[in-house]
Structures are given as C-alpha cells and as structure tokens.
C-alpha cells in the first residue's frame, strides 16, 4: 500500500517515466507471446526465437532499473530511518513500484494479443493479425502467464539488488570491456549469420561495451580538460568524470545498439541477415533502441540530480546559467565525438565477420 500511495502522489514527470516502463513492458510481453504462439504452431526452430526475445527483455529491465534509481519517492532522505523507511525498505518500495508498472504493461500486452487473435471479441483489422499470431492454434494459458510475469519479476529482482551493487572504477572496467568486446566479435565471426552463436556474440559485445562505457566517459572528461583548460572545460570535464559510473553503462549499451543497426544496414546489401523474430524483428529492434536511449536519458537525469548541490553552489557564487548549459552541451558533444566512431568501428568489424 505504501508503494501505491507514493506512486499516486508522484509528480507528472515521474508518472510519465513509469508509464514508459509500462509501455516497454507491454511491447516485450507482446513479443514473448508472439514467440510462444509461433512455438505452438511450429515447434521446430522456436528456441532461437525465444533466445532473441530475451534481448528486448534485457533492454526493458535495464530501463526499469534506471527509472527506479531516479524515483524521488524511493530516494533515501534524512530522518526516514526513524519512520521505518531505511534503505532496505525503500529498496523494497522501489521494487514493488517497478513490478506494478511492468505488470500493467504485461496485462496490456495480453489484452492486445488476445484482441488481435480474435479471442476476445471479433477480429480487428479484417483479421490481418490472426494469421500472424497463429489464431488457429490454442494458446497455452500457463505458459503465457509464465512468460508475462517474467518481466515484472526480473525487473523487481534487479531493483532489489541495487543497494548491494558496487560499480567498478571506470579505469578497472575499461580493459575488461575491451576484452569481452573482442571475444564477442570473435564469436560472431565463428558463428556466421545465424543460430544462437550470433546472439551470444552480440550479447558479449553489448556486455563488453557496457563495461567499457564508464571508462570511455571518464576518458572523454579527461580529453575535455586537456591542454590548458579554462573554467568552462574544467567544469565540463570534471562533471563528466563524476558522471562516468552512472551514464557509462547505458552509453555502452546504446553504442552496441547503434553498431547493430549499422551492421544490419551494411549486411543488407550483401545478402542480408535472417530476421530472428520474423515480421516483428523491426518492432523488436525499435523497442530495444528506444529503451537504450531512454535509459541513457534517465541516467543523465539521475546524474543531474546528484549534482544539484554543486550546481546550486555555483549559482550562489554568481555563475551564469549560460555557463552551466554550455558545459552540459560540451559534455554531450564530447561523448558523441567518441561514441559515434566507436559504434561505426564495431559495426565495420562485425559486418566483416558476418560476410567473410
């Protein structure tokens, strides 16, 4: 009840972020149900599709965790321990709020899926979705519910582990990230264009870039401050180094998504890749990209919240607001200048591995 009261009394922007989590959960739930219906209709070869459906699941969980971290209702405050709202209790409240949002999305996914199949009332769109969703085959209720609760349970469990996570230093994480990314590229080269091997390669590449992300962000901050910096570059560089542990992992994941998109475009003219999720491959890719971008923006909001005291101190000292905005633009430009070539380079290596 406490989680529901806190959720009901939150500000509109916080409610919007929760609705976005519910929308992402709905999209992932719909994909899982689509894979299940395809497995019932054609059992052979359905396991690789289920594995590929875990990619949108992971992106949705990452986004849900980022939203939970920025939720003002679950942020530790002075004096709440006396009211029984310590870090552990607030973590539980955050997990419950996340589970409620994801459950709402899963329920919407189930309703939309059944409606398009014609299981609720009539066939919408002249029955165009009935064949795609295999309406001629019965849908296993237990299996469908199991897949739908996968998103809320995974997201809630990930939120519960937040207080016990201790991120690596940006400089200890960079070598590991480079090594894992290289392993991912090697697996992709060995696996070729299809099968679970390619998914394993992409997963290793994404994990490696996520681990390397904080180091890359920290290096960007160092470059911004290089060669006789002024006050503006010092402010931007130091802030970027401080934000590196927060924005680095989602930045690396977004680089992996960009590299995947560039690879798909490069390979399309050389024979193309087999669509792993059939006709819903495009929507699934769009869902992953949107979740990765939203996670990065949410992490940036969290970093801004953590710098509120420093920003207020600079304002009290007479620093103009334009300087703070220019520093933020400089940080974004530095990250873009490093991450865009990185995504292009990974895409080139991947496309060479897939078209050898």
């Amino acid at each position: 009840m406490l989680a529901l009261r806190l959720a009901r009394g939150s500000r509109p922007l916080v409610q919007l972020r929760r609705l976005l989590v519910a929308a992402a959960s709905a999209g992932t739930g719909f994909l899982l149900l689509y894979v299940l219906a395809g497995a019932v209709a054609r059992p052979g070869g359905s396991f690789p599709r289920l594995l590929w459906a875990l990619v949108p699941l992971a992106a949705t969980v990452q986004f849900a965790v980022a939203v939970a971290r920025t939720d003002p209702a679950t942020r530790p405050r002075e004096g709440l321990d006396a009211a029984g709202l310590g870090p552990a209790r607030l973590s539980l409240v955050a997990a419950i709020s996340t589970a409620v949002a994801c459950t709402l999305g899963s329920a919407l996914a189930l309703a939309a899926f059944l409606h398009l199949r014609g299981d609720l009332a009539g066939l919408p769109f002249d029955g165009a979705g009935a064949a795609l969703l295999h309406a001629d085959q019965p849908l296993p209720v237990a299996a469908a519910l199991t897949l739908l609760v996968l998103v809320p349970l995974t997201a809630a469990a990930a939120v519960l582990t937040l207080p016990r996570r201790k991120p690596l230093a940006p400089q200890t994480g960079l070598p590991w990230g480079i090594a894992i990314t290289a392993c991912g590229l090697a697996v992709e080269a060995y696996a070729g264009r299809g099968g679970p091997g390619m998914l394993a390669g992409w997963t290793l590449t994404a994990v490696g870039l996520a681990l390397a992300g904080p180091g890359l962000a920290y290096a960007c901050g160092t470059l911004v401050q290089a060669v006789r910096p002024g006050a503006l570059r010092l402010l931007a560089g130091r802030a970027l180094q401080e934000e590196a542990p927060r924005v680095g992992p989602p930045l690396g994941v977004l680089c992996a998504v960009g590299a995947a998109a560039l690879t798909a475009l490069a390979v399309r003219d050389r024979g193309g890749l087999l669509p792993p999720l059939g006709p819903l491959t495009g929507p699934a890719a769009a869902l992953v990209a949107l979740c990765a971008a939203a996670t990065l923006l949410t992490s940036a909001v969290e970093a801004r919240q953590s710098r509120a005291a420093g920003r207020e101190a600079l304002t009290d000292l007479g620093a103009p607001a334009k300087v703070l905005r220019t520093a933020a633009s400089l940080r974004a430009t530095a990250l873009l200048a490093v991450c865009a070539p990185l995504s292009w380079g990974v895409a080139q290596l991947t496309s060479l591995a897939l078209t050898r």
Side-chain angles (χ1 to χ4, degrees):
M1 292 300 296
L2 177 61
L4 293 177
R5 289 179 180 178
L6 291 174
R8 186 181 60 183
S10 299
R11 293 176 297 180
L13 186 59
V14 178
Q15 299 285 20
L16 176 61
R17 289 199 292 260
R18 290 172 180 157
L19 288 178
L20 290 177
V21 170
S25 177
T28 302
F30 191 92
L31 286 172
L32 291 174
L33 291 176
Y34 165 75
V35 172
L36 175 63
V40 172
R42 292 187 294 271
S46 59
F47 184 67
R49 283 194 173 187
L50 179 60
L51 291 180
W52 278 103
L54 296 180
V55 176
L57 173 63
T60 300
V61 170
Q62 185 194 27
F63 178 43
V65 170
V67 170
R69 290 173 63 101
T70 59
D71 195 337
T74 58
R75 192 178 306 136
R77 291 182 178 87
E78 193 174 337
L80 287 182
D81 287 337
L85 291 175
R89 182 71 181 276
L90 288 177
S91 176
L92 180 61
V93 170
I96 293 175
S97 300
T98 302
V100 169
C102 292
T103 302
L104 174 62
S106 296
L108 292 176
L110 179 61
F113 188 83
L114 294 179
H115 181 57
L116 291 176
R117 279 170 53 99
D119 295 336
L120 295 181
L123 283 174
F125 306 111
D126 297 328
L132 177 65
L133 303 180
H134 306 285
D136 55 332
Q137 298 291 332
L139 186 68
V141 178
L145 294 179
T146 301
L147 290 177
L148 287 177
V149 300
L150 193 60
V151 179
L153 290 181
T154 306
V159 172
L160 279 176
T161 62
L162 279 179
R164 294 186 288 273
R165 287 182 183 173
K166 187 176 181 180
L168 293 173
Q171 299 91 337
T172 307
L174 186 58
W176 282 104
I178 295 174
I180 294 177
T181 301
C183 291
L185 293 174
V187 171
E188 291 172 20
Y190 178 78
R193 299 190 183 184
M198 188 175 69
L199 175 60
W202 274 117
T203 302
L204 287 174
T205 302
V207 171
L209 289 175
L211 286 176
L216 292 174
Y218 192 91
C220 288
T222 303
L223 291 176
V224 169
Q225 302 174 75
V227 189
R228 301 175 63 182
L232 179 62
R233 286 200 289 145
L234 277 175
L235 178 61
R238 295 289 174 85
L240 190 53
Q241 288 177 334
E242 185 180 353
E243 294 173 2
R246 291 187 179 91
V247 303
L251 182 67
V253 172
L254 188 60
C255 287
V257 173
L262 292 174
T263 301
L265 292 176
V267 176
R268 182 182 60 182
D269 299 331
R270 307 176 192 175
L273 293 171
L274 294 176
L277 291 175
L280 294 188
T281 300
L287 175 62
V288 172
L290 291 175
C291 284
T295 302
L296 179 59
L297 291 177
T298 306
S299 300
V301 170
E302 181 191 8
R304 177 181 172 83
Q305 292 173 351
S306 66
R307 296 195 320 270
R311 191 167 57 251
E312 184 178 354
L314 288 173
T315 304
D316 293 340
L317 290 174
K322 182 180 179 181
V323 172
L324 300 178
R325 291 195 296 267
T326 305
S329 301
L330 184 57
R331 293 195 299 270
T333 302
L335 291 176
L336 182 62
V338 171
C339 293
L342 174 65
S343 299
W344 181 84
V346 172
Q348 293 300 310
L349 292 175
T350 305
S351 60
L352 287 176
L354 295 178
T355 57
R356 71 191 192 281

